[in-house]
């Protein structure tokens, strides 16, 4: 009896918080939580917050016991009670209660039952959305990161349950990120040990979702459940993670993406890799875009010896990333971006020609690799253009100069690394880099041509138009068209034809600015010469002549003043003379093409000048050609199968444009008749061609010398030389010998400056400077004399007269000067 009394009163002596916790559990777990008793427990926890940690510990104890006994109904009731207490209580002692709560969540996540794992995850997500008033110094979420990542990779047999488990894992990771990303006291979620688990888990579900989306459901099946698909939930979680990344965390967030794509060979497909980086670029803060691009460039370098498909995939991703990035987001190392891409272009050319990554030839796989490498090269060129389009004009000009400096030219860049593939490798690199320049200059707009196109860029570019390689010449012409076209007139000159009224072209013509005039004054003669030399090339084809016509048309519309118009007309007439000349070994097609080009251009320029008599003469000649010689007009030449005569021996009379007639009609309209009457003679001879020289430096030095000798300004200043019979005789007899001596002198000068030591060159220049100064002093002494003065002169001690300063009132003036 005594024992029973003791046992009976033990229940009444139990702590109140335990009795309140016990009362929330019904006899039948299916009845659910006893709400009235739950309200009492909540009120007690709010009234006595110091008991909260004990309530949590007791609930945790009961839950562990129920899990072990497989009483899952009571487990759900315990978690519901914990959730309600967690939402209601925000006191300082909640930290200890949270420890009990996380312990119970961990217990559920460790179980094998999917329902318990999902239950624990849902409770954790609710907890993650609570903003705690007090910081926690010792809480760890490492277990939750690992467990939720594992759930993201669930391979449960039932597909529906597997999907639920994976979605729970994604939600759990999202909760961990929300709980820790802004709390400096927590373990840094951006550490590689955590990112290496979170990011691959998300990418795994994105990838699985990509495969499942191939079976697109019908619109009638598009329910609310589909909106909560794992792929969409994953993408939302991934975007949230990236959106919270600060400047210093971008690298840790992107590196696992690169590793995942490497490990699962996802670069080759391109689609998934592009999708991932689109999410990244749109989610991160715009000022951090250049960090992602730099990581991709570094990864491209790290995979330099990987297969062409992998490198092409990385380049495609770079292309998309550059298109998404805001203007100027390439970052502070603009040239480094282009340096990396150009280096990959050079390596790809080597791999294509050698057939292997180590320089040895492997015949068995060379064809396949060459095909893949060519695709890679095209992708790199497109990417270079995409990056350039994000840059302002001044940076694009720097990039153009940078690429030009990378183009291998014998004699100019002897320090360039050898490609190991010989001359063919050098030629391919030249073509690839010029194609890159075509992409960079596309859409280039500038108001000041002189600053945007300095001589350091234009002169090397024009020198490439003198090579014998027709593909190189065509690329140079395309670059020039992009640079000169500032009003989108280029498409209107695509085809060469005789247009009776050019108003149908709707050309945009602005008045030539002062900067444009200066540009043409400085570089006009170079452009004319290279147009002439391009027409003179036997290897030029239809595309070359069409591009040359477009260049002439753009010069007339974009950069022409009265002086330029005169020079362009002289150039067109010189092209006609070139086609008539029998000295040039031009095929019949080229002669007809040059005639047609000159006719089409004169038809254009006469309508731009709006001089009726000029237009009448041009149209009369064109009508005669249409009747007698249609093969001298573009409509019969620039077609797929032109019908041309076997030879052009008798091209004369009314089918030719007359320089005298054009000079006469334009002189009446105020044009410079003296200049018009002077035939255009290019300042560049065929023997000075780049293709016949060992060094382009020699070509440029001689070109500058020829320009300085033949410039119009110098010709005007030179006094007229007296011509005598003896002079003419000597010119006829010694002309051949003088040319040989001049050629030898030039060669010696070039050799001396290439091979002589610096001290010798400096001494030579110093001696010339001293001699020049002494001659100038003599000239000044002779020409510069003091003005005559009525005060007279005084003799110096050296026998020279010196002016003496006399006051005005002491001067003696002649009588005629005084009145």
């Amino acid at each position: 009896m005594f024992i029973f009394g003791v046992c009976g009163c033990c229940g009444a002596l139990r702590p109140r918080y335990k009795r309140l916790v016990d009362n929330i559990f019904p006899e039948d777990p299916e009845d659910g939580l006893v709400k009235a008793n739950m309200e009492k427990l909540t009120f007690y926890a709010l009234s006595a917050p110091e008991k909260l940690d004990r309530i949590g510990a007791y609930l945790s104890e009961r839950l562990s016991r129920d899990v072990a006994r497989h009483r899952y109904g009571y487990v759900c009731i315990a978690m519901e009670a914990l959730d309600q207490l967690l939402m209601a209580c925000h006191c300082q002692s909640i930290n200890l209660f949270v420890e009990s709560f996380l312990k119970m969540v961990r217990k559920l996540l460790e179980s094998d039952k999917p329902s318990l794992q999902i239950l624990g995850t849902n409770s954790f997500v609710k907890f993650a959305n609570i903003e705690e008033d007090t910081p926690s110094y010792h809480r760890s979420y490492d277990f939750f990161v690992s467990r939720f990542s594992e759930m993201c990779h669930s391979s449960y047999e039932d597909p529906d349950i597997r999907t639920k488990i994976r979605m729970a894992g994604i939600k759990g990771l999202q909760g961990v990120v929300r709980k820790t990303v802004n709390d400096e006291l927590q373990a840094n979620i951006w550490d590689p040990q955590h990112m290496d688990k979170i990011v691959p888990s998300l990418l795994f579900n994105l990838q699985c979702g990509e495969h499942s989306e191939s079976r697109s459901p019908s619109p009638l099946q598009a329910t609310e459940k589909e909106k909560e698909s794992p792929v969409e939930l994953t993408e939302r979680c991934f975007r949230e993670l990236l959106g919270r990344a600060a400047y210093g965390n971008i690298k840790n967030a992107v590196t696992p993406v690169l590793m995942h794509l490497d490990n699962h060979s996802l670069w080759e497909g391109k689609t998934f890799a592009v999708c991932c980086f689109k999410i990244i670029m749109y989610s991160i803060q715009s000022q951090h875009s250049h960090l992602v691009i730099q990581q991709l460039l570094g990864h491209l370098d790290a995979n330099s010896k990987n297969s062409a498909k992998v490198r092409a995939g990385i380049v495609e991703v770079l292309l998309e990333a550059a298109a998404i990035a805001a203007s100027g987001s390439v970052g502070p190392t603009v040239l480094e971006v282009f340096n990396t891409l150009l280096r990959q272009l050079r390596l790809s050319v080597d791999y294509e020609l050698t057939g292997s990554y180590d320089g040895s030839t492997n015949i068995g796989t060379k064809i396949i690799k060459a095909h893949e490498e060519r695709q890679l090269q095209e992708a790199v060129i497109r990417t270079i253009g995409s990056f350039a389009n994000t840059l302002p004009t001044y940076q694009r000009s720097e990039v153009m100069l940078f690429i030009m400096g990378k183009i291998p030219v014998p004699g100019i860049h002897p320090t360039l690394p050898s490609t190991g593939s010989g001359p063919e490798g050098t030629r391919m690199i030249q073509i690839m880099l010029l194609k890159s320049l075509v992409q960079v200059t596309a859409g280039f707009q500038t108001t000041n041509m002189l600053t945007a196109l300095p001589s350091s860029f234009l002169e090397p570019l024009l020198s490439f138009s003198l090579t014998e390689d027709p593909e190189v010449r065509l690329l140079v012409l395309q670059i020039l068209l992009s640079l000169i076209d500032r009003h989108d007139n280029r498409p209107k000159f695509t085809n060469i034809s005789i247009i009776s009224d050019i108003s149908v072209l709707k050309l945009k013509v602005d008045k030539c600015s002062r900067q444009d005039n200066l540009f043409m004054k400085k570089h006009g003669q170079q452009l004319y010469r290279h147009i002439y030399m391009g027409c003179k090339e036997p290897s030029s084809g239809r595309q070359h002549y069409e591009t040359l016509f477009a260049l002439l048309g753009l010069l007339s519309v974009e950069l022409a003043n009265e002086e330029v118009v005169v020079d362009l007309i002289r150039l067109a007439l010189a092209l006609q003379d070139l086609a008539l000349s029998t000295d040039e070994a031009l095929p019949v097609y080229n002669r007809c093409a040059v005639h047609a080009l000159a006719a089409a251009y004169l038809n254009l320029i006469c309508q731009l000048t709006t001089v009726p008599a000029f237009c009448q003469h041009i149209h009369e000649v064109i009508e005669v050609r249409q009747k007698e010689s249609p093969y001298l007009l573009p409509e019969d030449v620039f077609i797929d199968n032109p019908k041309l005569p076997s030879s052009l021996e008798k091209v004369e009379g009314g089918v030719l444009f007359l320089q005298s007639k054009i000079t006469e009609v334009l002189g009446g309209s105020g044009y410079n008749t003296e200049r018009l009457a002077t035939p255009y003679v290019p300042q560049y001879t065929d023997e000075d061609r780049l293709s016949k020289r060992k060094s382009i430096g020699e070509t440029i030095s001689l070109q500058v010398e020829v320009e300085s000798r033949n410039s119009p300004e110098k010709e005007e200043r030179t006094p007229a030389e007296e011509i005598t019979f003896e002079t003419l005789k000597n010119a006829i007899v010694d002309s051949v010998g003088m040319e040989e001596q001049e050629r030898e002198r030039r060669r010696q000068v070039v050799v001396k400056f290439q091979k002589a030591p610096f001290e010798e060159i400096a001494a030579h220049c110093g001696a010339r400077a001293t001699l020049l100064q002494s001659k100038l002093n003599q000239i000044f002494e002779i020409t510069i004399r003091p003005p005559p003065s009525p005060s007279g002169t005084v003799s110096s001690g050296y026998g020279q007269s010196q002016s003496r300063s006399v006051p005005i009132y002491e001067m003696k003036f002649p009588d005629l000067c005084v009145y």
Side-chain angles (χ1 to χ4, degrees), residues 450 453-463 465-466 477 480 518-534 551 555 567 571 680 682-684 699-700 703-704 706-707:
L450 274 175
L453 301 175
S455 300
S456 55
F457 172 79
L458 200 58
E459 289 179 2
L461 177 66
L462 290 175
S463 69
S465 69
L466 300 175
L477 291 173
L480 286 173
L518 291 174
F519 176 80
M520 288 306 293
K521 199 160 193 173
K522 184 175 182 180
H523 299 293
Q525 294 300 322
Q526 288 177 286
L527 292 171
Y528 307 149
R529 179 172 63 254
H530 288 81
I531 292 173
Y532 184 89
M533 301 302 292
L551 181 56
L555 286 174
D567 285 339
L571 174 61
Y680 172 78
Q683 301 171 4
Y684 214 60
T699 302
I700 295 173
Q703 175 179 327
V704 172
V706 170
E707 284 182 3

Side-chain angles (χ1 to χ4, degrees), residues 517 560-568 669-672 675:
N517 289 334
N561 53 28
E562 185 175 315
E563 183 180 346
V564 172
V565 169
V566 169
D567 285 339
L568 288 172
S669 299
Y671 286 87
N672 187 341
R675 193 172 182 86

Side-chain angles (χ1 to χ4, degrees), residues 583-602:
D583 297 336
E584 304 294 339
L586 284 176
V588 173
Y589 174 80
N590 294 67
R591 293 181 184 276
C592 293
V594 173
H595 274 297
L597 170 63
Y601 177 68
L602 287 172

Side-chain angles (χ1 to χ4, degrees), residues 348-421:
S348 179
V349 169
D350 286 347
Y351 296 158
E352 178 184 353
L353 294 175
T354 61
S356 66
Y357 299 126
D358 54 1
S360 60
T361 304
N362 190 344
I363 299 176
T365 58
K366 184 172 183 179
I367 297 176
I368 299 175
K369 286 185 178 179
H371 173 68
E372 294 174 356
E373 294 295 342
R374 188 58 60 91
Q375 291 180 339
L376 170 64
Q377 291 157 18
E378 297 299 329
V380 172
I381 291 171
R382 289 197 307 272
T383 306
I384 288 174
S386 180
F387 271 111
N389 288 333
T390 67
L391 299 176
T393 302
Y394 74 94
Q395 279 190 325
R396 203 188 287 202
S397 298
E398 292 178 1
V399 172
M400 288 157 48
L401 274 170
F402 181 75
I403 296 177
M404 180 58 68
K406 292 284 184 180
I407 301 179
V409 181
I412 287 291
H413 301 297
T415 58
L416 285 174
S418 60
T419 60
S421 48

Side-chain angles (χ1 to χ4, degrees), residues 552-767:
L552 285 167
L554 288 177
L555 286 174
S556 307
V557 174
E558 298 281 351
L559 300 169
N561 53 28
E562 185 175 315
E563 183 180 346
V564 172
V565 169
V566 169
D567 285 339
L568 288 172
I569 294 173
R570 292 172 59 223
L571 174 61
L573 294 170
L575 292 178
Q576 178 180 259
D577 294 339
L578 170 66
L580 291 171
S581 174
T582 57
D583 297 336
E584 304 294 339
L586 284 176
V588 173
Y589 174 80
N590 294 67
R591 293 181 184 276
C592 293
V594 173
H595 274 297
L597 170 63
Y601 177 68
L602 287 172
N603 173 69
L604 172 70
I605 195 67
C606 76
Q607 297 184 58
L608 289 174
T609 56
T610 63
V611 177
F614 184 25
C615 295
Q616 182 181 355
H617 172 65
I618 300 300
H619 291 156
E620 286 175 355
V621 174
I622 290 175
E623 288 176 3
V624 173
R625 288 191 178 188
Q626 288 172 343
K627 295 176 182 178
E628 300 179 6
S629 307
Y631 49 83
L632 300 181
L633 293 175
E635 286 78 5
D636 279 37
V637 176
F638 300 112
I639 55 178
D640 292 336
N641 296 307
K643 296 180 180 179
L644 305 177
S646 57
S647 63
L648 287 180
E649 295 179 355
K650 296 181 180 180
V651 179
E652 55 188 8
V655 297
L656 297 179
F657 303 100
L658 302 178
Q659 187 155 6
S660 57
K661 179 68 174 176
I662 294 174
T663 302
E664 178 185 346
V665 298
L666 288 179
S669 299
Y671 286 87
N672 187 341
T673 55
E674 183 180 352
R675 193 172 182 86
L676 272 169
T678 306
Y680 172 78
V681 179
Q683 301 171 4
Y684 214 60
T685 60
D686 202 21
E687 61 189 7
D688 286 330
R689 294 184 48 75
L690 170 65
S691 59
K692 297 184 179 180
R693 293 189 174 273
K694 296 180 179 179
S695 167
I696 197 171
E698 188 177 347
T699 302
I700 295 173
S701 65
L702 291 181
Q703 175 179 327
V704 172
E705 184 178 348
V706 170
E707 284 182 3
S708 63
R709 292 190 171 204
N710 296 331
S711 62
E713 293 81 359
K714 186 164 184 176
E715 291 175 4
E716 292 172 4
R717 292 194 299 268
T718 305
E721 184 181 354
E722 184 180 357
I723 305 298
T724 62
F725 174 79
E726 199 67 22
T727 306
L728 293 174
K729 180 180 177 181
N730 293 335
I732 294 172
V733 173
D734 299 330
S735 60
V736 178
M738 291 295 291
E739 287 180 9
E740 291 294 334
Q741 292 177 10
E742 181 68 13
R743 190 178 297 109
E744 180 63 22
R745 187 189 66 81
R746 290 182 179 181
R747 190 189 65 79
Q748 291 177 358
V749 169
V750 172
V751 170
K752 180 176 181 180
F753 276 87
Q754 285 180 339
K755 298 183 178 180
F758 175 76
E759 292 78 7
E760 182 180 340
I761 296 174
H764 175 70
C765 293

Side-chain angles (χ1 to χ4, degrees), residues 104-277:
M104 286 182 277
V105 172
R106 187 182 295 113
K107 189 74 175 177
L108 294 180
L109 293 176
E110 288 174 345
S111 69
D112 297 332
K113 293 287 184 181
S115 57
L116 296 185
Q117 296 175 14
I118 296 171
L119 178 64
T121 302
N122 293 336
S123 294
F124 183 84
V125 171
K126 293 176 183 176
F127 161 70
N129 293 326
I130 297 174
E131 294 185 7
E132 299 181 52
D133 296 334
T134 55
S136 174
Y137 296 91
H138 56 280
R139 197 178 300 161
S140 174
Y141 294 97
D142 293 356
F143 167 79
F144 295 101
V145 172
S146 300
R147 183 56 183 154
F148 288 140
S149 299
E150 186 180 343
M151 291 170 64
C152 288
H153 292 84
S154 173
S155 56
Y156 201 82
E157 294 180 358
D158 189 335
D160 292 334
I161 296 178
R162 181 170 65 241
T163 300
K164 290 179 180 178
I165 294 174
R166 289 183 178 180
M167 289 183 67
I170 296 167
K171 291 178 181 177
L173 290 176
Q174 189 177 28
V176 172
V177 171
R178 288 179 179 175
K179 198 66 181 172
T180 60
V181 73
N182 293 324
D183 191 348
E184 296 180 357
L185 298 175
Q186 300 295 341
N188 190 358
I189 198 67
W190 301 106
D191 285 344
Q193 59 177 346
H194 299 309
M195 285 290 107
D196 289 347
K197 297 175 184 176
I198 294 175
V199 173
S201 301
L202 298 177
L203 295 180
F204 173 77
N205 283 275
L206 269 180
Q207 186 182 355
C208 293
E210 188 181 55
H211 294 310
S212 63
E213 282 180 355
S214 59
R215 304 188 307 270
S216 55
S218 63
L220 296 175
Q221 295 175 339
T223 60
E224 203 172 296
K225 184 177 180 181
E226 189 203 0
K227 294 180 181 178
E228 285 296 320
S229 64
V231 63
E232 293 187 358
L233 179 63
T234 303
E235 183 176 337
R236 188 163 59 251
C237 179
F238 195 31
R239 289 183 184 275
E240 182 178 344
L241 174 68
L242 295 166
R244 295 173 180 267
Y247 180 87
N249 302 325
I250 295 292
K251 182 178 180 180
N252 289 344
V254 175
T255 300
V257 179
L258 301 174
M259 298 304 296
H260 181 83
L261 297 174
D262 283 344
N263 295 336
H264 296 273
S265 302
L266 296 174
W267 292 111
E268 298 180 13
K270 300 179 186 177
T271 307
F272 180 71
V274 169
C275 173
C276 288
F277 276 90

